[in-house]
Amino acid sequence: MATETAIEPSSPTPPPIQHQSARMESEINPAAPPSQPETNLPELRNLRTILDQEVYTNKFLAKITVKEQLQILAEIKGALKESELEVFRRSNFGHFLDLDAGWTEGGKSGKRNMFAGQYVHFLMLRHMPTIKKRELWFLVEGKPARFSIPEFAIVTGLVCTSKPFLGLEEKLKLKACIRDEYFKGATQIKVDDIQKAFRSLCDKDEGEKKKKAKKEKDLATDRVKIALLYFLEGVLLGADPKRNVSTFHMSTVDDLDMFNSYPWGTVVYDTTVDSLGGKDLAEKYRERLRKPPHKQLPDVKETYTLYGFPFAFQIWAFEAIPFLGMVCARRVDGPVRFPRCLNWRCGETVPPLDRITTLSKDRRRHIPSKCRYIIRPLLSTSGRSFP
């Protein structure tokens, strides 16, 4: 059995990151909100959603496709050596290694429904237009709930500070070693290409060929760099595998210190919110109503795709609207963990949507007595609930 070579990251090694669940959120993310909830909600337009209540009873169904590939995390965990995984764990993405395996592997049967699309659509229909540009508000049972960058930071644990401005001098210092060596200097590199490069580099036979031209510790560092890039592009910035990857992302990963200090959470949040907020479901529904009655077909599903990291939006929904988490997933026993995505296990199945669409008619039938019906407008950093 081959021995593993310890990796020596370039430049001064950053201090090891403690287990995410044991750290204070303010230490990980300066963008995290204070422990007390805000008292002044933004100007909400008479607490009205984009669609009238009748839409919910008319079954405006939808089929949602997501481009994020959480199974990439399971692939990374299975392909990297222990010493390489330790370097990955010390990165800004390391805490995702502690996600429940059901989210990344689909459970033992491999058939778990990891994304509750109909329940996300349930919230999308309750989206409230507001004057806040970078926030999404939803009205559930007459109570508003906010999904914004502080909530995103609490759920994901990603750094969500402002993106730094890079001048020409800083850009000229960016390297292109990974791109030149593993992608032949190409400027149009796709997620599929990163996947092939990662699998090739982790392949035992291919690895032996590379050893002849490069030291093992350098190969190990390259494997971690490509794994970080693979996770960023394939999971956090989930998009079409055929799209081109940013050359800035390709260059930044060459410097692990720079890569780990960059606020990727802000980049991921912007991509996610642009996708969630860009679905004009109200207009699509009006188009359906403009059709002759015999062509409206209420059981025909609307289709749309979500990019970015909608998994974070789903976990936020479990935290902010507990009855959604109760029917879609399983909460981890014990104290509240940080980031909040570590609080949840993947459920075996996702129940039919009518389990919650009829809540207002018969709450006792669908919610056990031990579960209070709560809408939390804001998430707190302390883990306490603020109904």
Side-chain angles (χ1 to χ4, degrees), residues 212-353:
K212 297 178 181 179
K214 203 168 187 178
K215 295 181 180 179
E216 172 60 21
K217 69 176 183 179
D218 294 332
L219 282 177
T221 302
D222 288 351
R223 278 193 287 268
V224 174
K225 289 179 177 180
I226 294 180
L228 288 169
L229 189 64
Y230 189 22
F231 183 78
L232 172 65
E233 300 292 338
V235 180
L236 299 180
L237 293 174
D240 194 317
K242 301 299 181 182
R243 75 170 178 86
N244 291 328
V245 174
S246 167
T247 54
F248 173 73
H249 298 176
M250 294 291 303
S251 299
T252 307
V253 79
D254 267 310
D255 185 339
L256 285 179
D257 291 337
M258 181 178 180
F259 186 88
N260 288 328
S261 63
Y262 195 79
W264 295 114
T266 304
V267 179
V268 176
Y269 175 78
D270 288 344
T271 303
T272 305
V273 167
D274 286 343
S275 180
L276 289 169
K279 309 304 177 188
D280 195 351
L281 298 181
E283 180 57 32
K284 291 180 179 179
Y285 183 68
R286 294 188 194 102
E287 290 179 2
R288 178 174 294 192
L289 292 182
R290 284 195 285 266
K291 295 179 181 180
H294 66 282
K295 291 186 178 182
Q296 289 183 13
L297 303 176
D299 291 334
V300 175
K301 294 184 178 182
E302 184 67 47
T303 59
Y304 56 93
T305 303
L306 294 178
Y307 299 95
F309 197 37
F311 173 75
F313 179 73
Q314 176 175 269
I315 297 297
W316 163 81
F318 296 166
E319 292 281 342
I321 311 169
F323 74 84
L324 286 181
M326 183 193 70
V327 298
C328 297
R330 292 177 297 159
R331 193 174 186 86
V332 175
D333 294 331
V336 174
R337 305 173 70 190
F338 179 79
R340 299 287 187 92
C341 60
L342 302 182
N343 284 332
W344 297 92
R345 292 192 179 99
C346 182
E348 293 290 343
T349 59
V350 177
L353 185 61

Side-chain angles (χ1 to χ4, degrees), residues 69-79 85 88 93-100 104-105 230-231 235:
Q69 304 175 61
L70 280 171
Q71 64 270 22
I72 287 176
L73 185 60
E75 182 180 355
I76 290 173
K77 291 170 69 174
L85 278 175
F88 189 99
F93 306 153
H95 53 279
F96 288 106
L97 293 174
D98 296 324
L99 270 180
D100 174 57
T104 60
E105 300 172 3
Y230 189 22
F231 183 78
V235 180

Side-chain angles (χ1 to χ4, degrees), residues 191-231:
V191 179
D192 281 348
D193 297 325
I194 297 175
Q195 180 188 67
K196 293 175 183 178
F198 177 74
R199 292 178 177 177
S200 174
L201 197 56
C202 293
D203 181 81
K204 184 176 180 180
D205 295 333
E206 290 294 328
E208 290 297 327
K209 295 178 183 178
K210 290 284 185 182
K211 282 183 183 179
K212 297 178 181 179
K214 203 168 187 178
K215 295 181 180 179
E216 172 60 21
K217 69 176 183 179
D218 294 332
L219 282 177
T221 302
D222 288 351
R223 278 193 287 268
V224 174
K225 289 179 177 180
I226 294 180
L228 288 169
L229 189 64
Y230 189 22
F231 183 78

